[in-house]
Amino acid sequence: AQSVTQLGSHVSVSEGALVLLRCNYSSSVPPYLFWYVQYPNQGLQLLLKYTSAATLVKGINGFEAEFKKSETSFHLTKPSAHMSDAAEYFCAVTIGGATNKLIFGTGTLLAVQP
Amino acid sequence: NAGVTQTPKFQVLKTGQSMTLQCAQDMNHEYMSWYRQDPGMGLRLIHYSVGAGITDQGEVPNGYNVSRSTTEDFPLRLLSAAPSQTSVYFCASRMRNTDTQYFGPGTRLTVL
């Protein structure tokens, strides 16, 4: 079975500072990994995904994530936070292909201070 | 394309009442899913469908029914609402050979 763990339910950074949101996964087979963002009162929007190609994945809004098999991690980063990045971020895992079962982490709420 | 649409946006029910949450997509996606989102628990899969006439249970199916008579629609039924079903419900869809799910805007349900 697959699972993801997001460390830190709340993260606060200053505008312009590095954003680092942590995600560790567990999977018995090569996983597909995703980061979704949810702005207040909205649905989820895909930020980026890893599907066994390049280990460093670039997404929208300047975010990127690196798949590290040895550490079973898929941390999300952005060099310089912007006020508009304030949102909740979800890491998710699936074994891909035919399955429709996307397993989500519990989410990390990112606050950006001026 | 409207993408994934959900109605209603908000709903308040009394315990024991029944209702149907509507979900529709106009992208001709084979796969559709229902999730519920609760604070501190992320999103949990309720039911999903891999095509018209085919549905299966997810992680938390109890208290919910689904059917898929057309590719476009995937309604979620609560037969007898309970306070534990107070949550935000999201519908999602994707194409068969892709991994990216598209989410609707959600329905916020309160059961008193």
Side-chain angles (χ1 to χ4, degrees):
Chain A
Q2 293 75 43
S3 66
V4 289
T5 301
Q6 292 184 241
L7 297 177
S9 58
H10 291 79
V11 171
S12 181
V13 301
S14 299
E15 191 172 19
L18 171 72
V19 175
L20 171 61
L21 304 182
R22 301 178 186 273
C23 173
N24 288 89
Y25 71 90
S26 173
S27 178
S28 57
V29 298
Y32 288 11
L33 293 157
F34 303 79
W35 276 100
Y36 281 85
V37 59
Q38 184 181 30
Y39 298 103
N41 300 314
Q42 295 187 26
L44 278 71
Q45 178 184 358
L46 181 68
L47 265 182
L48 49 80
K49 63 180 179 180
Y50 166 78
T51 56
S52 76
T55 56
L56 181 62
V57 181
K58 295 186 183 297
I60 62 172
N61 301 337
F63 284 92
E64 63 181 37
E66 186 172 8
F67 173 72
K68 292 187 176 181
K69 184 178 179 180
S70 60
E71 299 177 6
T72 61
S73 69
F74 190 57
H75 300 332
L76 182 70
T77 61
K78 182 175 180 178
S80 178
H82 191 272
M83 297 295 289
S84 60
D85 295 326
E88 191 159 20
Y89 293 80
F90 292 93
C91 183
V93 63
T94 181
I95 61 174
T99 182
N100 200 40
K101 297 183 181 180
L102 195 60
I103 308 299
F104 284 86
T106 53
T108 297
L109 188 62
L110 175 66
V112 181
Q113 308 298 331
Chain B
N1 285 351
V4 181
T5 58
Q6 292 182 238
T7 56
K9 288 190 175 182
F10 302 93
Q11 183 70 50
V12 179
L13 293 178
K14 294 181 179 178
T15 298
Q17 286 185 315
S18 63
M19 81 159 294
T20 299
L21 279 63
Q22 301 292 343
C23 174
Q25 52 91 10
D26 61 358
M27 298 173 283
N28 203 32
H29 287 174
E30 295 91 346
Y31 291 77
M32 297 186 75
S33 306
W34 275 102
Y35 295 86
R36 59 176 290 173
Q37 183 180 26
D38 302 291
M41 302 189 75
L43 278 78
R44 293 179 292 168
L45 182 64
I46 304 171
H47 285 286
Y48 66 99
S49 168
V50 299
I54 306 171
T55 64
D56 205 348
Q57 295 181 350
E59 182 184 357
V60 288
N62 292 340
Y64 307 95
N65 282 350
V66 292
S67 60
R68 184 96 180 270
S69 56
T70 67
T71 299
E72 294 78 19
D73 300 299
F74 190 43
L76 178 72
R77 297 183 187 85
L78 285 71
L79 298 179
S80 179
S84 61
Q85 294 179 304
T86 293
S87 186
V88 181
Y89 291 85
F90 288 99
C91 180
S93 72
R94 71 174 175 94
M95 293 177 62
R96 183 194 308 272
N97 294 320
T98 68
D99 299 287
T100 302
Q101 296 211 37
Y102 294 85
F103 285 81
T107 294
R108 187 175 295 274
L109 176 67
T110 301
V111 183
L112 303 174

